[in-house]
Amino acid sequence: MDSLDRRSFVRGSLCLGAAGMPLSFLASCKSEEPVPGPTGGGAARASTGELFTISLAQWSLHLELQSGELDPMDFPATTKSMGIDAVEYVNSFYGNRVDEPGFGAELKQRCDDAGVQSLLIMCDGLGHLGDSGEFERKRAVENHRPWLDLAQQLGCHSIRVNARSSGSRDEQLDRAADGLHQLCEVADGHGLNVLVENHGGLSSDGSWLSDVMRRVDHPRVGTLPDFGNFDLGGGQTYDRYQGVEELMPFAKAVSAKSHDFDAGGKEIHTDYHRMLKIVVDAGYRGFVGIEYEGSELPERVGIERTFDLLVRVRAELSA
């Protein structure tokens, strides 16, 4: 039985499983209505009756995309072929096309044709929102405008940005909060949220990034907790479970980072049951995005393993 047939069989078996188990699964439970997140923000509702619904981050297929094996415009259809109905883009795979007339409309049509919902765009390489220079912070804000325009056209609820800065801990807090607040003011006109991921350095310190959220003090700002990005630099790491717990009160999206699996299908670096319980206990009911980043398995196999693990843990938590 090939992987897609097996997944269809598993999906059907779960849906017909024990009474009271809310496993209507993916497409049948998807809704595009915005709902309040744990802090009242506007993340998209993942499902009705499910603890969370699964989406796919484009970075999970970065090797195929970088090699040219997969056209970035085919990402929505590819996602659908793997039984997933919602996507999270990475801006670097589209480059200068963001300014190309008709690009957004074409990508939106690809999504509509595939029956796939666009959730957010992960934005990198656009300048440092926490730069030590005021002019540079403003320029970084302006560099995000085209991606806000595209995210709005695609029907996303957010863009994901970085809080990179320099200086002392307190200086970086002030600078990152200033740049983020400026960007939130712009994003408000698009009806979009601005999410910060723990993405290395101080941003991977859950207490620091939580302080940034409070300092920004804007309804459009939020976090995108990533299960694996807790490298502080200099050989130091932050406890991933503590970090996610600290970031969940501000979360409007969640990234299920995965690398390697044992023979039983468990991720060996992250206890998914423990981590997802933190997510669910925080009151989060949005999308959980697969972000496979391993090197031992082909990307699509790694995505499938992560998908199956999320489904299994979701059933355990639902029970």
Side-chain angles (χ1 to χ4, degrees):
M1 184 181 294
D2 66 35
S3 61
L4 288 179
D5 287 342
R6 181 169 63 83
R7 182 177 297 124
S8 297
F9 173 79
V10 171
R11 181 186 296 112
S13 299
L14 286 172
C15 289
L16 294 172
M21 293 279 283
L23 292 169
S24 51
F25 214 59
L26 290 177
S28 62
C29 63
K30 181 171 69 67
S31 169
E32 299 182 9
E33 296 179 6
V35 298
T39 57
R45 177 179 290 276
S47 63
T48 301
E50 292 284 10
L51 292 178
F52 57 83
T53 294
I54 302 165
S55 54
L56 181 64
Q58 196 168 22
W59 189 253
S60 299
L61 293 164
H62 69 278
L63 296 178
E64 286 192 28
L65 290 157
Q66 290 169 347
S67 69
E69 183 180 350
L70 176 63
D71 185 333
M73 299 299 286
D74 291 332
F75 174 55
T78 299
T79 298
K80 185 70 172 184
S81 74
M82 290 188 281
I84 301 172
D85 297 337
V87 294
E88 304 168 11
Y89 304 96
V90 177
N91 71 326
S92 60
F93 293 123
Y94 300 98
N96 294 331
R97 293 204 65 185
V98 69
D99 297 316
E100 181 182 306
F103 164 68
E106 180 183 351
L107 186 55
K108 177 67 164 63
Q109 189 62 54
R110 298 285 189 107
C111 292
D112 291 346
D113 290 345
V116 166
Q117 180 181 357
S118 297
L119 300 181
L120 58 90
I121 302 176
M122 299 182 180
C123 297
D124 301 303
L126 301 177
H128 299 167
L129 291 166
D131 199 284
S132 60
E134 184 176 351
F135 174 78
E136 285 75 14
R137 290 197 296 274
K138 292 183 180 297
R139 182 167 59 185
V141 169
E142 291 302 310
N143 289 344
H144 284 80
R145 281 186 184 269
W147 299 100
L148 285 168
D149 292 339
L150 178 61
Q152 182 181 30
Q153 187 173 9
L154 293 174
C156 297
H157 63 73
S158 303
I159 62 169
R160 190 278 282 146
V161 303
N162 296 290
R164 187 171 300 165
S165 186
S166 61
S168 69
R169 184 184 181 93
D170 288 342
E171 286 173 335
Q172 292 190 56
L173 192 158
D174 289 339
R175 292 164 180 170
D178 176 64
L180 286 167
H181 194 277
Q182 291 185 53
L183 184 55
C184 285
E185 292 293 301
V186 177
D188 195 34
H190 294 72
L192 292 167
N193 301 311
V194 175
L195 311 186
V196 184
E197 181 181 353
N198 47 302
H199 218 190
L202 267 180
S203 75
S204 291
D205 180 323
S207 64
W208 180 83
L209 189 51
S210 298
D211 285 344
V212 171
M213 294 294 105
R214 287 184 279 267
R215 184 70 60 87
V216 175
D217 190 26
H218 194 289
R220 290 291 178 183
V221 79
T223 58
L224 193 165
D226 183 293
F227 293 175
N229 287 348
F230 287 99
D231 184 357
L232 298 171
Q236 295 184 309
T237 58
Y238 198 82
D239 183 270
R240 66 185 63 202
Y241 306 101
Q242 177 183 338
V244 169
E245 187 167 7
E246 289 169 334
L247 297 178
M248 281 310 303
F250 312 96
K252 302 179 192 294
V254 171
S255 181
K257 177 66 61 63
S258 60
H259 290 88
D260 303 293
F261 302 86
D262 65 17
K266 293 183 178 180
E267 217 284 337
I268 65 174
H269 306 288
T270 300
D271 181 337
Y272 262 55
H273 190 284
R274 179 181 176 186
M275 191 67 88
L276 287 165
K277 189 174 189 305
I278 292 171
V279 169
V280 170
D281 284 352
Y284 182 83
R285 295 296 183 270
F287 287 86
V288 172
I290 294 171
E291 190 171 31
Y292 174 70
E293 206 175 47
S295 57
E296 296 300 315
L297 298 172
E299 288 178 317
R300 300 196 188 204
V301 176
I303 292 168
E304 181 182 354
R305 296 279 177 88
T306 311
F307 181 99
D308 291 344
L309 178 57
L310 287 170
V311 170
R312 185 163 70 250
V313 174
R314 184 175 62 184
E316 294 167 358
L317 293 175
S318 297

